[in-house]
Amino acid sequence: MEFFLDTADVDEIREIASWGILDGVTTNPSLIKKSGRDFKTVVAEIASICDGPISAEVTALDTEGMVEQGRLLKEELPPNVIIKIPCTPEGLAATKILTADGIKTNVTLIFSASQALMAAKAGATYVSPFIGRIDDTGADGMTLIAEIMSAWDNYNVDTKVLAASIRHPTHVLACMQMGAHTVTMPTKIFRQLMTHPLTDKGLAGFMKDWAEVEAAGNA
Ligand code: E4P
């Protein structure tokens, strides 16, 4: 399973990349706004920290504009940058054109299995269903991942399912059990997935005993 970070904060990306298990990064216009930095500068810096796919989102709403922005981003930014496109009819057409150009895409803002299937048919490299935002409406976001994975089982689909809008570690565990290819999560979730009080307690006990081994001259 691929683990992506969902942030445009380069300090956080450096920290998680140093763990050796970071496979990619997703950004969106809101995350770029939060970073307070220039879009292309920050995406280029992210792409220099992490070798994996770095999603940069287009902001045009028409197909022509999305294609133009996507091609320009590919020209100006490092090769590991992929183009994030909203799941609209115009976005679908742009995905088809950019895919024909050999450009990798991540179709975002997916809230139904039919949208995921349409994006896959257009040739998307990734589709991003938003789990947390569905949970926020009172429905169950994980049901969408289950529906998409079961549709994928019925057909020979190359497109990877990138579970997004992750709000807690159990979202990630459920995605693993359902076979989602990728999850993108905030730094907080990476930290939560790695932390266990019994690990900390166990390590403290080992360190205390080892200090006594050293004091006895037996190290
Ligand atoms: C995915 O690529 C999106 O950037 C992200 O997961 C959205 O998450 P949110 O619902 O927490 O904004």
Side-chain angles (χ1 to χ4, degrees), residues 113 140-153 161 174 178 180:
D140 176 20
M142 288 314 305
T143 302
L144 173 57
I145 303 297
E147 283 173 6
I148 295 172
M149 295 319 298
S150 109
W152 258 227
D153 280 348
V161 177
M178 289 176 187

Side-chain angles (χ1 to χ4, degrees), residues 6 26-28 31 84 108 128 130 133 164-167 184:
D6 195 29
T26 50
T27 68
N28 64 39
L31 292 171
K84 204 172 184 187
T108 190
S128 289
F130 277 38
R133 293 194 192 187
S165 188
I166 299 275
R167 297 284 159 78
T184 188

